Amino acid sequence: MALGLALSGCKPGARIDLHYLPDFVAGSQNVFRPVKIAVPPTAGSVDSGNYQVGAIYAADGAVQTPLVVADAPRTLNNALLKGLADAGLVPVALDSKPDDGKPPEGSDFILTSDLEQIQVNKRFEATQTIHGQYFTMRAVVRVKFELSDRDGAVVYSGETTGLENQPPSPVGAEVFLPLETEPAEALSVALSRSIGLLVLEPKFRDVLPRRAAEPTPASTSTPESQAH
């Protein structure tokens, strides 16, 4: 919130549109059996209007362009619904959180989410390369989740932090080019990671029914193996 207030006196912000990246986090697809999980709207301290998530900074440190996301909680909620479906669950979107904290009739669990941080900053430096002016970019999406069963008992509570840093850190003497150059793409990656990491959480996996492991195909006998 402090960042949004600090940037409010700057020039009008550039709106960036975020999107969920399916199949982005390895191991987060087709994990669970298709149980119904109710998902109320995402809460949190992030404003549901036009929220300034960061800025593009010039080489002298001055704000070049403030960056704005419209209704970040809804964007996160829509991505969460898609991520749960990718994981094999059957998410059911709710208009509001039930007063008793229990999932509505027909749902097995209820998953609440609080968007605690969403931020992206792109900082140019004076250095010029053959690819243009050098920059660094960092995106963060931090979300708190709470999963409750039919009785309203909390069976999982945790927090995930999706990060994206550009350009990738050098390995030895090898320097990598940035994979994303646009703040919207970097923040979309961080958003998708924050949801994929939830599915990878061992304690989250432990309380939801898992899909049976695919059987290992039996090896085909060869004529040589049968000639005994």
Side-chain angles (χ1 to χ4, degrees), residues 140-198:
V140 182
V141 175
R142 183 162 50 92
V143 189
K144 181 179 179 181
F145 296 100
E146 195 169 88
L147 183 70
S148 301
D149 62 16
R150 288 176 179 158
D151 296 325
V154 176
V155 293
Y156 169 80
S157 180
E159 180 183 279
T160 65
T161 302
L163 299 174
E164 176 66 355
N165 292 296
Q166 291 296 332
S169 299
V171 177
E174 187 175 4
V175 178
F176 299 100
L177 295 176
L179 302 176
E180 295 98 24
T181 59
E182 297 299 325
E185 288 302 313
L187 198 54
S188 293
V189 167
L191 175 76
S192 303
R193 279 206 176 110
S194 68
I195 295 169
L197 289 174
L198 171 67

Side-chain angles (χ1 to χ4, degrees), residues 47-219:
D47 190 0
S48 60
N50 289 327
Y51 182 75
Q52 294 182 348
V53 295
I56 299 174
Y57 293 87
D60 62 0
V63 173
Q64 192 175 75
T65 308
L67 302 172
V68 174
V69 169
D71 203 346
R74 179 182 290 274
T75 300
L76 184 279
N77 197 259
N78 290 339
L80 178 58
L81 293 169
K82 293 176 182 178
L84 294 174
D86 285 350
L89 298 164
V90 182
V92 179
L94 303 182
D95 293 329
S96 61
K97 180 181 177 181
D99 294 335
D100 59 5
K102 298 180 181 180
E105 187 69 28
S107 294
D108 303 286
F109 298 90
I110 183 169
L111 179 68
T112 61
S113 55
D114 291 274
L115 180 55
E116 298 182 324
Q117 182 183 13
I118 180 167
Q119 187 177 62
V120 60
N121 289 297
K122 182 177 182 179
R123 302 177 186 275
F124 283 101
E125 297 183 8
T127 306
Q128 293 285 339
T129 72
I130 58 173
H131 303 287
Q133 190 172 3
Y134 183 80
F135 70 86
T136 60
M137 186 161 54
R138 177 177 173 83
V140 182
V141 175
R142 183 162 50 92
V143 189
K144 181 179 179 181
F145 296 100
E146 195 169 88
L147 183 70
S148 301
D149 62 16
R150 288 176 179 158
D151 296 325
V154 176
V155 293
Y156 169 80
S157 180
E159 180 183 279
T160 65
T161 302
L163 299 174
E164 176 66 355
N165 292 296
Q166 291 296 332
S169 299
V171 177
E174 187 175 4
V175 178
F176 299 100
L177 295 176
L179 302 176
E180 295 98 24
T181 59
E182 297 299 325
E185 288 302 313
L187 198 54
S188 293
V189 167
L191 175 76
S192 303
R193 279 206 176 110
S194 68
I195 295 169
L197 289 174
L198 171 67
V199 179
L200 296 184
E201 279 287 328
K203 292 183 179 179
F204 184 76
R205 291 188 176 214
D206 287 346
V207 297
L208 292 171
R210 301 277 294 276
R211 288 180 181 267
E214 293 290 336
T216 303
S219 60

Side-chain angles (χ1 to χ4, degrees), residues 24-48:
F24 185 76
V25 177
S28 64
Q29 297 81 42
N30 301 313
V31 176
F32 305 109
R33 287 164 51 192
V35 298
K36 289 187 177 180
I37 182 167
V39 182
T42 296
S45 60
V46 175
D47 190 0
S48 60

Side-chain angles (χ1 to χ4, degrees), residues 2-14:
L3 176 63
L5 293 173
L7 294 178
S8 60
C10 301
K11 65 182 73 172

